[in-house]
Amino acid sequence: MANRFMTAQSTVEARHWGKPAIVTLAAMAALAALTGDAAARQARPAPPTEATAPREAGEPIMAIVSIKTQQVTFYDSEGWILRAPVSTGTKGRETPAGIFAVIEKDKDHHSTLYDDAWMPNMQRITWNGIALHGGPLPGYAASHGCVRMPYDFAENLFDKTRIGMRVIISPNDADPVEFSHPALFVPNAKAVAAAPARAEALVREAEEAARTADEAKKAAATAAREAASLTASLRKLEGLKARADAELASADKKLAAANTDQAKAQASEQREKAANKAAEAGTQLDTAKADAKSKLAAAAAAKDAIKAAQTRKADTAKAASEAKLALEPVSVYVSRATQKLYVRRNTHKQWPDGGEVFDATIEVPVTIRDPDKRIGTHVFTAMARNDAGLRWTAVTIENGDDAKNALDRIAIPQDVLDRIAPTALPRSSIIVSDEPLSRETNYRTEFVAVLNDQPQGGFKMRRPTVVDVPVASGNDWGNNGFGFFFQPNWNSQPGNPRPRAGQNYQPMQPRWW
């Protein structure tokens, strides 16, 4: 009753105050609404904006995309250099969180999936269609799985990056932090200094071995042709000798059967001719047999020589390729899911269908302590040289163990360390993850791995890349030392303890050579 009265009384008073009072009440309501909006804006983080570090920028080593804050940050060896807002995949077409690298660049790319849509300054990170590129930014996730960047930003960035630059797509904000650990590669200064000259010498040796193998092949072919020709001549002479012997035997019979002086004289003359003919055929046959014996021996020796030359060619080519790869940053991926360690290095061999070929000759089992315990996903990157060898950073994008404990749990095989650590260079990396490699990891990628517990709509909707596995031809040292032919790959990835959408890495052949 009192409430109703107060309400009625307020109405009467408002009528009595007239129009000015009503305006005042409206203004108060508007002010309250504005105050509420301001509080809400204060609670929300400011939207990301483009920014450039206040120093001279070096070459970008990595890019980190935050899906949460819709921002990308590029880093050189000294820290961040560029930041910009992005638009990642919308709901149902989400950009996959995970580990990637730039595998192809196209200044004026048009989509083959979405009605020839313009995607300028495209930097591809998977062959099934995920990329960084210029595009409209509405202020929220709106793409079909790619990472859109501001048009001008993407254009200015395009010429600054290189194939192999690390791209980390994180569900949340992530930053590289300075990091050191005994498991990180410590290069040998003498080995690093000697590597270029060693590679050059081994390339020359491999080229000489290839020429020697070609010459041995030609010599073997010539010897084989000569031996085959002599074998045919030998068979012909053997036939002639047999006929001459038969004629001599016939002449002997006629001479023995002759019973007159005239018949004996004729038979004797025929026998002499037959004997001379048989003797000449025998001499020719003996000479041909001796010649054939030497030619057959030469052909056998040439055959052995070509085997030795081909073996040396393969051995020197392998040594030369290892020496050339030692001049490249090395990337290592350790998967708890498969209990394997994988190594990738860029050969810089251009592939006709786009991109560059990555060497994958090292793929070995690895021991991980407490293999049933989550380890997280961590990226350790050699940013620059320092007095200790290399200065490293760590980026964690999925929780599990912390970065130090993750490395503590891994025992990298010593023979692998011996092959890659002495000449490890800046931009080298070690990735440790619970995840297996994605099936998008192939001969034209470094590593592709997506976080299984994050949305992958933009990844799943794309048709997976189907490739044949290239292996070295063994007959083509040219083109910077890598010659390949295709071999269908029917292997499947074993040892995956839990299903992962879009995950089915096809192992590479164990050796190129």
Side-chain angles (χ1 to χ4, degrees):
M1 195 63 181
N3 286 339
R4 279 194 222 119
F5 174 78
M6 291 177 62
T7 302
Q9 185 178 18
S10 298
T11 302
V12 170
E13 290 176 349
R15 287 173 182 163
H16 178 71
W17 292 334
K19 189 173 181 180
I22 296 174
V23 172
T24 301
L25 288 173
M28 292 176 63
L31 179 61
L34 289 172
T35 303
D37 286 347
R41 282 196 301 273
Q42 188 174 4
R44 285 197 306 266
T49 57
E50 289 188 43
T52 302
R55 61 179 176 84
E56 184 176 351
E59 182 181 350
I61 293 177
M62 75 172 78
I64 302 179
V65 176
S66 170
I67 294 176
K68 178 181 179 180
T69 57
Q70 295 289 284
Q71 177 175 265
V72 62
T73 305
F74 288 81
Y75 297 85
D76 68 3
S77 62
E78 299 301 321
W80 78 273
I81 52 175
L82 296 167
R83 286 197 178 104
V86 297
S87 184
T88 60
T90 188
K91 185 174 178 59
R93 298 175 181 266
E94 297 89 353
T95 301
I99 308 299
F100 309 87
V102 173
I103 55 178
E104 185 187 41
K105 299 172 66 174
D106 187 354
K107 187 73 176 173
D108 188 27
H109 183 71
H110 290 260
S111 174
T112 58
L113 292 177
Y114 302 111
D115 299 326
D116 201 39
W118 187 43
M119 298 178 176
N121 299 293
M122 183 274 290
Q123 302 194 50
R124 184 187 299 277
I125 59 175
T126 72
W127 286 109
N128 70 352
I130 304 296
L132 314 178
H133 62 80
L137 271 64
Y140 50 84
S143 80
H144 283 183
C146 288
V147 177
R148 297 181 193 164
M149 301 181 293
Y151 285 109
D152 289 345
F153 182 88
E155 182 175 7
N156 293 333
L157 177 73
F158 187 81
D159 292 330
K160 294 180 172 65
T161 61
R162 68 162 82 170
I163 300 296
M165 185 194 73
R166 171 76 59 228
V167 177
I168 301 170
I169 300 179
S170 176
N172 301 297
D173 290 343
D175 298 296
V177 295
E178 294 286 332
F179 189 84
S180 62
H181 191 280
L184 298 175
F185 306 141
V186 179
N188 180 294
K190 290 183 178 179
V192 171
R198 180 173 182 271
E200 185 177 347
L202 287 172
V203 167
R204 286 197 302 268
E205 184 178 347
E207 290 171 345
E208 177 60 31
R211 284 193 293 269
T212 300
D214 288 343
E215 292 169 0
K217 187 176 180 180
K218 292 176 183 177
T222 300
R225 285 194 301 270
E226 291 177 352
S229 176
L230 280 171
T231 299
S233 298
L234 194 63
R235 286 196 296 267
K236 183 178 179 180
L237 289 172
E238 286 173 342
L240 292 174
K241 178 66 168 61
R243 286 194 294 274
D245 288 343
E247 289 176 4
L248 178 59
S250 177
D252 284 338
K253 288 181 181 179
K254 289 180 180 180
L255 180 60
N259 52 16
T260 66
D261 292 342
Q262 184 178 2
K264 286 181 179 179
Q266 289 177 348
S268 179
E269 184 180 354
Q270 290 177 355
R271 187 198 179 280
E272 184 178 357
K273 290 180 179 179
N276 291 337
K277 186 176 181 180
E280 184 180 356
T283 300
Q284 290 178 348
L285 180 60
D286 290 343
T287 301
K289 283 182 176 179
D291 197 12
K293 184 177 180 179
S294 66
K295 294 296 184 183
L296 289 170
K303 191 174 181 180
D304 292 338
I306 194 173
K307 287 181 180 178
Q310 291 285 14
T311 299
R312 183 171 179 271
K313 175 184 175 181
D315 290 344
T316 55
K318 180 179 178 181
S321 72
E322 284 290 327
K324 286 169 66 68
L325 289 171
L327 306 178
E328 297 296 323
V330 60
S331 295
V332 174
Y333 189 94
V334 178
S335 168
R336 185 179 70 87
T338 62
Q339 303 286 294
K340 280 190 174 184
L341 178 148
Y342 312 84
V343 176
R344 289 284 191 280
R345 285 176 288 194
N346 195 350
T347 70
H348 297 292
K349 174 182 170 58
Q350 300 293 320
W351 202 251
D353 292 336
E356 299 177 358
V357 175
F358 283 77
D359 176 82
T361 55
I362 303 176
E363 181 176 315
V364 297
V366 67
T367 301
I368 301 177
R369 191 177 70 245
D370 300 326
D372 295 330
K373 177 184 174 184
R374 287 181 58 78
I375 203 167
T377 296
H378 315 273
V379 182
F380 306 94
T381 306
M383 304 301 286
R385 303 181 195 274
N386 63 9
D387 293 339
L390 292 171
R391 175 168 54 82
W392 293 79
T393 64
V395 178
T396 296
I397 65 169
E398 186 179 38
N399 291 326
D401 255 338
D402 62 27
K404 177 184 179 302
N405 289 338
L407 282 182
D408 285 343
R409 289 168 58 186
I410 296 166
I412 298 178
Q414 188 60 46
D415 62 328
V416 173
L417 287 173
D418 291 343
R419 289 177 66 180
I420 63 180
T423 57
L425 299 170
R427 304 176 72 93
S428 294
S429 62
I430 300 174
I431 302 166
V432 177
S433 181
D434 293 302
E435 306 295 343
L437 288 174
S438 164
R439 59 186 169 187
E440 283 298 304
T441 299
N442 58 60
Y443 65 95
R444 290 187 294 160
T445 70
E446 191 222 46
F447 296 121
V448 179
V450 301
L451 303 189
N452 182 62
D453 58 357
Q454 297 296 318
Q456 303 170 24
F459 194 65
K460 293 177 185 177
M461 66 172 289
R462 285 167 163 78
R463 182 174 300 175
T465 303
V466 179
V467 296
D468 290 330
V469 175
V471 293
S473 66
N475 297 317
D476 180 11
W477 168 245
N479 208 351
N480 292 324
F482 298 91
F484 302 95
F485 64 88
F486 279 119
Q487 174 172 318
N489 183 3
W490 303 110
N491 295 326
S492 59
Q493 175 63 49
N496 187 354
R498 52 180 174 152
R500 284 168 164 77
Q503 301 284 342
N504 187 21
Y505 167 64
Q506 302 294 315
M508 302 292 285
Q509 296 296 317
R511 296 287 174 193
W512 291 118
W513 307 101

